[in-house]
Every structure is written in C-alpha cells, then in structure tokens.
Amino acid sequence: MLLWVCFAILTASVVALLLRPLRQTQVAVVEPAAADLAVYRDQLRELDAERDRGLVVDSEIESARAEVARRLIKRASGEASETAESADDTASVNRARRIYVAITALLPVVGIGLYLLSGSPHLPDHPFSERQTAAGTGGDGASSIVNLIAQVEQRLRDHPEDGRGWDVIAPIYLRLGRYADAAHAFAEANRLEGETVRRLLGFAEATLLAENGIVTEPVRKAALRVLELDPARIEVRVWLTLAKEQDGDLAGAAAEYRDILDKAPADATWRSAVSERLDLVNRKLKGEKIPEEAPAAQAAPSAPPPAASGEMPDVSAMSPADRDAFVLSMVNRLADRLKDNGKDLEGWIRLARAYKVLGRESDALAALASARENFAGDRASLDEIDKSEQNLGLQGKKPESPQ
C-alpha cells in the first residue's frame, strides 16, 4: 500500500509541474487603439502649445490638424478587423490550453491502465537472493558444482584468511587436475587451520603431481611431518624413497622399497605401485637399458592416475557417468567432513544445496536437521538455516530418513 501512495505522490508532482505554465498570472495588455488615441491627443496638444509660443502659423496648424484627423479615421477603420483577429487568437490559445490540460490529466490514467493490462501487480516480490538460489539450482550437476567452486574462489579472494574455505577447495582442485592450485590451497589450510595428516598428505600429493613426480624439499618435509604425527603411515616413506632414487642412490632406494613392502598391510592399495618401482630400480642396478621409465608420480599413495595429456580432464568435458561420479564424490567428502566437524554452518548449507541439486530432497532436509542439532541454542545460526530451507523450497517438508 505504501508503494502505491508513493506512486500517487510522484504522479501528482509531475502533473503539477506540467500544468505550472498555465497557472502563471497574465500581464495586462494595453489595447492598440487606446494607445494610438493617446498619441494623437499628445500631438494635438503639442500643436496648440507651439501656436501659443508663436513657433508656427495658423495655416500650418490647420494642415497638421488635418493630417492627425486623417490618421484617426484610418485607425478607426482598421480597429474592427484587429479586434476580430485578436478574438480568433484568444480562442486558439484557449483551445490549445484545454488540449494541454486534457493530455496532462490523461497521462497517469493511461499509464495505470497499461500497467494493469500488461503488468502483474498481483504477483509477490521476488528478492535477488531467491533468484540467485533458483539460478544456482538450475541446469545439470556439473554447472552447479562449477558455480559453487566459483563462489568459494570469490569468497577466498575477499577473505584470504578463511582457512575452512581453503580446506574445502583444496581436494576439489586436486580432483580437477589443478595441482598447483591444490598445493597452494592445502598449504594455506595447514597454515590457517593447523597441520593434520590429511592436509599434509594432500599438500605432498598435489605438489608431487605439480612437479611431474619430482620430490621437492616441501614434499620431503611434509612426509617427515606426517610420520611425526602418525608413525603408522609408512606409505609416506614412498616419497622419501623416491627422493633417494632421483638423487641416484639406487641401492638405498631398493632397500627402502623392500622394507616398505615388508611392513605394508597385505591389502594396501599402493603395494602394487611400490612393487613396480622396486622392480624398476633393480633393473637399473643390473644395468638393463630402460627405454621409457614409468612416471615416479604414480608411486605416490592415493595419487589419482594422470591422464594421457598429463592433466585430468575438465569437469565440463567429462562423460555423464563420470560427471555424476565426480559430483557425488565431492558431496560425500563434504558430508564426511561435516560428521567430524559439525560446527561448520556454511558447510551444512552447502551440503543441503548440493543434495537439492542432485534431487535428493530428503537428504537435504536431513542435512539441515543435523545443522540445527549442531547449532542448538544459537539463534542467529538457526535463523540462517531456516532462511536457507525456505530459499531451497524445503520449508514444511520432512525428511524420509535420518542423515
């Protein structure tokens, strides 16, 4: 209602400005005939004055009086036609004034009529936040994930000290084959959030792949730090052994590989890679000619196999099946992280949005329910969760199964 009152005030103001010229006070105008008569009278009085002073003779005065009389008669004959023309001009001005007033008055009426005919005054407003959410949930899963990555990157540009953001984006970069970006993100996460085995492993793996399998000093330091935090993670010794191999210490590398295999669990997924590496080093020690050496990076535990081009394909170039698997793996990683750290409000909202994109509304509702449990008593966080639920179109629905 207030909006319509504002519209009415603005319309009235515009109409008043348009009609302002018609309200100006008219200046009194002296009729031309009366002005001429006054001039002629002055001329006659001047002739009498000159005669009294003896400046002119009577014959000249009579001749001048006759000329003034002739002008008066001529002026009187033309007065009637001028009066008719003046009346016509006045009528024309009045008609133009009435047309101007009518058009000015009709402008708001026509505008309102066109809006009621072509507009939608009955529809509720659509805030920008809701339009942005609707746009983010449209399209396929890959484009939505790309949009989410862009949002996280923008967040990190604005807030580079957001350790949680670096921790979220780092494994995604690694899966996309953006190894240098992944290494930087893992390094920032370790600096801001503290060193953990997972982050150190991710940093070492990303750096190793970014350097084409060369074990640099940062990789060696990360491996040693992992062994300090978790001595049971013997697989990271592979990176230290690779460093020996690359430095030319083949005998020492072979001994390390054998010791790693002896201590490795039988079901370790990286045993085959270490065995291949040991076989290759033994062949070198025997002096055999190796035509094409296998990339050392493939010996890194948990390292994704490089594509033929040396980089993993972009998400937009993946097949539908690979794309779905990629999206699902990212969502599952986020869900697993939230199980360990439930105090990440943005993470819960992001997880619910991802489930919504995948069409899993029940899981989205369960994620929001878990968020409420973790933020019980925090009014501001609960309000944010309710707002997100409304924006996702999940308000009033109930999950079919618990998270």
Side-chain angles (χ1 to χ4, degrees), residues 15-342:
V15 171
L17 288 174
L18 293 174
L19 294 177
R20 183 178 179 182
L22 303 181
R23 299 197 306 270
Q24 293 179 348
T25 305
Q26 295 184 351
V27 180
V29 179
V30 179
E31 293 294 336
D36 291 342
L37 288 174
V39 172
Y40 295 150
R41 291 192 187 97
D42 287 341
Q43 290 177 350
L44 291 173
R45 285 194 296 269
E46 185 67 25
L47 287 173
D48 292 338
E50 289 179 354
R51 184 188 59 185
D52 294 340
R53 290 195 298 269
L55 298 176
V56 293
V57 297
D58 292 341
S59 60
E60 290 178 350
I61 291 175
E62 292 300 328
S63 175
R65 284 179 179 275
E67 178 62 25
V68 172
R70 186 184 65 78
R71 292 178 181 176
L72 281 172
I73 293 171
K74 184 178 180 181
R75 181 70 184 85
S77 63
E79 184 177 351
S81 60
E82 290 180 359
T83 302
E85 291 178 359
S86 178
D88 292 340
D89 292 341
T90 302
S92 299
V93 170
N94 290 334
R95 282 196 301 272
R97 183 174 297 177
R98 285 194 294 270
I99 293 173
Y100 183 82
V101 172
I103 292 175
T104 304
L106 284 175
L107 281 176
V109 177
V110 173
I112 293 174
L114 289 175
Y115 175 67
L116 294 175
L117 181 64
S118 303
S120 303
H122 59 283
L123 293 179
D125 63 341
H126 197 182
F128 176 74
S129 59
E130 295 184 7
R131 296 198 302 271
Q132 190 177 34
T133 300
T137 57
D140 57 16
S143 62
S144 300
I145 293 299
V146 171
N147 290 336
L148 290 176
I149 293 174
Q151 292 176 15
V152 175
E153 290 176 335
Q154 182 59 49
R155 165 76 181 177
L156 291 174
R157 280 191 290 271
D158 297 336
H159 305 279
E161 298 301 312
D162 182 4
R164 290 185 300 175
W166 291 114
D167 196 32
V168 169
I169 201 71
I172 298 175
Y173 282 151
L174 188 60
R175 292 295 301 273
L176 289 174
R178 297 171 58 176
Y179 302 130
D181 291 335
H184 173 70
F186 276 119
E188 290 297 301
N190 279 315
R191 178 177 68 87
L192 297 170
E193 295 292 300
E195 292 181 342
T196 64
V197 171
R198 178 183 62 81
R199 296 186 188 115
L200 290 167
L201 287 174
F203 168 76
E205 184 177 341
T207 305
L208 187 65
L209 291 169
E211 298 294 336
N212 295 319
I214 303 300
V215 180
T216 59
E217 185 63 18
V219 175
R220 191 185 69 82
K221 289 181 178 180
L224 292 174
R225 180 60 176 156
V226 169
L227 290 177
E228 291 178 6
L229 296 176
D230 187 1
R233 302 297 294 265
I234 61 171
E235 68 270 24
V236 299
R237 291 174 53 194
V238 174
W239 291 320
L240 301 174
T241 308
L242 278 174
K244 282 188 177 183
E245 181 184 344
Q246 291 167 0
D247 290 340
D249 185 4
L250 299 180
E256 287 290 335
Y257 283 137
R258 283 192 290 270
D259 186 63
I260 291 172
L261 289 173
D262 291 340
K263 296 179 180 179
D267 57 348
T269 57
W270 44 268
R271 283 185 63 95
S272 59
V274 175
S275 297
E276 292 176 3
R277 205 70 212 168
L278 175 60
D279 180 66
L280 183 65
V281 171
N282 287 331
R283 291 170 60 188
K284 287 182 179 180
L285 288 172
K286 294 177 181 178
E288 296 183 12
K289 186 177 181 180
I290 309 298
E292 184 175 355
E293 184 175 349
Q298 292 184 1
S302 304
S309 62
E311 292 185 356
M312 293 196 62
D314 185 78
V315 65
S316 60
M318 293 180 182
S319 65
D322 291 340
R323 185 182 304 162
D324 292 342
F326 168 71
V327 173
L328 185 59
S329 67
M330 288 174 48
V331 174
N332 289 338
R333 285 190 181 188
L334 178 58
D336 291 340
R337 185 174 65 81
L338 291 173
K339 290 179 181 178
D340 297 334
N341 177 23

